[in-house]
Amino acid sequence: MIATEHELLGLFQAGLDGDAAAYHRFLQRLGALLRGYFRRRLQSLPDEVEDLVQETLLAVHTQRHTYRPGSPLTAWVHAVARYKLVDLWRRRERHESLNDPLDDDLAVFAHTDDDAGLVRRDLSRLLGGLPDHQRLPIQHTKLEGLSVQEAARLTGMSESAVKVGVHRGLKALARQWKGLT
């Protein structure tokens, strides 16, 4: 690993100093390492590996100015790669949640409107246990379908505060739910 760090760092620094050939070798070598990294983590999604490699190489290239000399280059690259991997999982999760498969043996009429009323009641009770800065962003964005910008305007919170409120509120709801089951 130390040899890889030194090799990549040397090529990267030479590239930053204007050596185009060294920078090209850096990207090729890094691409090969990233392929192995993503293949191990995406065994069930092999078609995504090459796209993720290219996204990561592009991010490394466009964000190369954020690398702090003296810190391990491989740690910085690993952080970029990890963020790209998490982004992929989030995209796929959103896509999968919008596209639930319907099985042939699905009991379409298994639940009545009474069930929906009970779910609303339970959800209201769970949301009621959250502070306003978490409850309101979830209510506006997830239940009412408003955008983050609209929810921010409605609550008087900043857009980032709305996003944080949703994230932390959902985590709190998950903890509450685990406590009930």
Side-chain angles (χ1 to χ4, degrees):
M1 186 63 177
I2 293 173
T4 302
E5 172 72 26
H6 288 299
E7 174 192 6
L8 289 175
L9 185 59
L11 292 170
F12 181 72
Q13 287 174 331
L16 291 179
D17 291 337
D19 185 344
Y23 193 67
H24 182 73
R25 284 193 310 276
F26 164 74
L27 292 174
Q28 284 182 322
R29 178 75 170 110
L30 184 58
L33 293 169
L34 289 169
R35 272 182 203 85
Y37 173 80
F38 290 130
R39 275 193 193 114
R40 283 189 303 278
R41 284 152 183 80
L42 296 171
Q43 292 178 8
S44 63
L45 301 169
D47 295 342
E48 298 288 348
V49 170
E50 193 57 35
D51 288 344
L52 223 46
V53 168
Q54 295 306 316
E55 284 180 35
T56 305
L57 288 173
L58 185 60
V60 165
H61 175 72
T62 59
Q63 297 299 315
R64 66 188 180 275
H65 65 279
T66 65
Y67 169 71
R68 285 182 298 210
S71 61
L73 177 67
T74 51
W76 177 73
V77 169
H78 180 261
V80 173
R82 190 178 61 237
Y83 286 125
K84 291 299 175 183
L85 185 60
V86 169
D87 286 346
L88 170 73
W89 287 332
R90 286 181 182 149
R91 279 193 312 268
R92 290 191 63 83
E93 183 176 321
R94 264 186 253 127
H95 182 270
E96 295 300 321
S97 70
L98 295 174
N99 297 299
D100 288 336
L102 295 176
D103 295 339
D104 293 337
D105 60 344
L106 180 66
V108 175
F109 300 107
H111 302 285
T112 65
D113 277 345
D114 296 336
D115 293 335
L118 295 173
V119 168
R120 276 193 295 276
R121 184 200 68 205
D122 292 342
L123 182 58
S124 292
R125 188 178 314 144
L126 286 171
L127 283 172
L130 294 178
D132 285 349
H133 66 277
Q134 292 176 349
R135 180 180 48 80
L136 292 174
I138 291 173
Q139 188 173 334
H140 293 314
T141 60
K142 301 299 182 186
L143 300 178
E144 296 169 11
L146 298 178
S147 69
V148 170
Q149 187 178 26
E150 292 167 326
R153 212 174 20 251
L154 206 69
T155 60
M157 300 167 73
S158 69
E159 290 181 28
S160 61
V162 168
K163 292 176 186 177
V164 168
V166 168
H167 176 74
R168 291 182 179 164
L170 290 175
K171 285 178 74 172
L173 286 175
R175 284 192 303 272
Q176 285 182 29
W177 180 252
K178 279 186 178 178
L180 296 175
T181 58

